[in-house]
Amino acid sequence: MTFKREDGRKVDEIRPISAKVGIIPNADGSAMWQSGKTIAIAAVYGPKEHHPRNQRDPEKGTLRFNYNMLSFSVTDRIRPGPSRRSTEISKISEWALAPVVMLEDFPNMVVDVHVHMIQADAGTRCAGINAAAMALAHAGIPMKNMVSSIAVGKLDKTVVVDVNKHEEDYEEGEGSTDIPITMTPDGKITHIQLDGKITKEQLMEAIEMAKKATKEIYEVQKKALKEIGK
Ligand code: CDP
């Protein structure tokens, strides 16, 4: 029996996506990314002097990522301010982007990336990375490549792309496994997380699905950057 998704999507079908670059005039770079009901905005400031001084790296620049979920982004209000979850997602997002940013071009400096979730319906770290990658490009930060991010999931025994919150909470059979993946347009993985149980074959299937989905995402990111002349 094939798995039926609650919103009628095919297993390899992502939610409707949209992007806009240049949404925050005062930032050096900014962008919005929307996947279904998940909306992220990103603002980039820098490269600028790195404070505190003792955190400066004379070999290369520093990427400082700040992920934040706004209190009204979900139905149960979220307590404002940093949490263990936001600290972890900030680090992971930083690591997902760092391999494509030419940090060696700005030693001793820092680039601040602020990501805020306006609405959350799962996949927020991926939406944040998609918005941040566009905002970095918009800010003119030298990059080797773009990155695009998507969460693949396994619901019971079926691998599906772009899980929403309803799917993430799926508990029947083998339950829900969430695999956020970030890739360059040529399919190099800069980030993969695996939370749950999956066979090697299904993991390969998940990566293939992510490859197809990130290509679609990349096209939308590229178009949004072109629209603003970047
Ligand atoms: O958002 P993402 O899938 O990257 O990370 P998660 O920690 O697996 O969170 C999944 C979803 O749970 C979020 O996107 C929100 O929709 C929801 N969530 C929530 O309602 N309240 C929280 N404090 C954290 C997450």
Side-chain angles (χ1 to χ4, degrees):
M1 199 187 84
T2 43
F3 185 85
K4 242 187 144 47
R5 302 183 80 171
E6 161 251 3
D7 57 7
R9 278 185 289 152
K10 296 194 216 85
V11 287
D12 62 348
E13 186 179 344
I14 58 173
R15 294 177 277 185
I17 52 177
S18 66
K20 192 166 169 56
V21 173
I23 55 165
I24 302 164
N26 281 356
D28 294 315
S30 60
M32 179 282 300
W33 180 265
Q34 177 161 16
S35 279
K37 285 189 254 172
T38 292
I39 308 175
I41 56 167
V44 166
Y45 297 86
K48 56 186 186 180
E49 262 190 41
H50 193 166
H51 293 292
R53 283 181 92 92
N54 64 2
Q55 283 178 14
R56 286 183 187 176
D57 187 339
E59 306 282 315
K60 57 179 169 49
T62 304
L63 199 60
R64 204 160 48 183
F65 198 106
N66 183 263
Y67 166 101
N68 179 40
M69 215 153 146
L70 293 171
S71 54
F72 56 80
S73 64
V74 286
T75 26
D76 289 338
R77 177 182 176 274
I78 293 176
R79 216 176 111 201
S83 61
R84 265 183 68 170
R85 177 178 176 274
S86 67
T87 306
E88 183 213 320
I89 297 180
S90 296
K91 263 291 154 220
I92 280 160
S93 307
E94 199 175 289
W95 294 336
L97 290 159
V100 294
V101 179
M102 295 168 80
L103 296 168
E104 59 282 6
D105 281 10
F106 45 95
N108 285 315
M109 313 278 271
V110 64
V111 172
D112 273 321
V113 184
H114 300 274
V115 164
H116 293 274
M117 302 311 311
I118 298 178
Q119 273 198 172
D121 184 28
T124 63
R125 73 199 61 204
C126 300
I129 292 167
N130 291 336
M134 291 189 292
L136 284 164
H138 181 221
I141 307 294
M143 290 163 83
K144 292 175 211 147
N145 221 333
M146 197 61 187
V147 282
S148 313
S149 190
I150 193 78
V152 184
K154 184 170 74 65
L155 306 179
D156 188 11
K157 291 185 172 54
T158 310
V159 179
V160 302
V161 79
D162 197 12
V163 282
N164 61 25
K165 178 71 178 145
H166 176 85
E167 292 177 328
E168 223 183 69
D169 293 340
Y170 188 79
E171 282 179 344
E172 279 166 50
E174 293 176 12
S176 163
T177 296
D178 189 25
I179 316 162
I181 303 178
T182 306
M183 283 186 184
T184 60
D186 52 344
K188 290 201 179 78
I189 297 172
T190 65
H191 151 233
I192 181 163
Q193 285 176 272
L194 179 53
D195 174 16
K197 214 173 132 189
I198 194 161
T199 62
K200 190 177 155 199
E201 289 70 30
Q202 282 197 309
L203 180 59
M204 295 320 286
E205 192 188 332
I207 291 170
E208 281 311 308
M209 265 192 192
K211 221 176 242 178
K212 179 173 165 272
T214 49
K215 278 208 174 87
E216 291 174 48
I217 291 168
Y218 172 61
E219 290 306 321
V220 174
Q221 288 173 305
K222 201 166 66 176
K223 188 163 166 272
L225 283 161
K226 257 202 193 126
E227 270 161 17
I228 199 134
K230 284 281 167 184

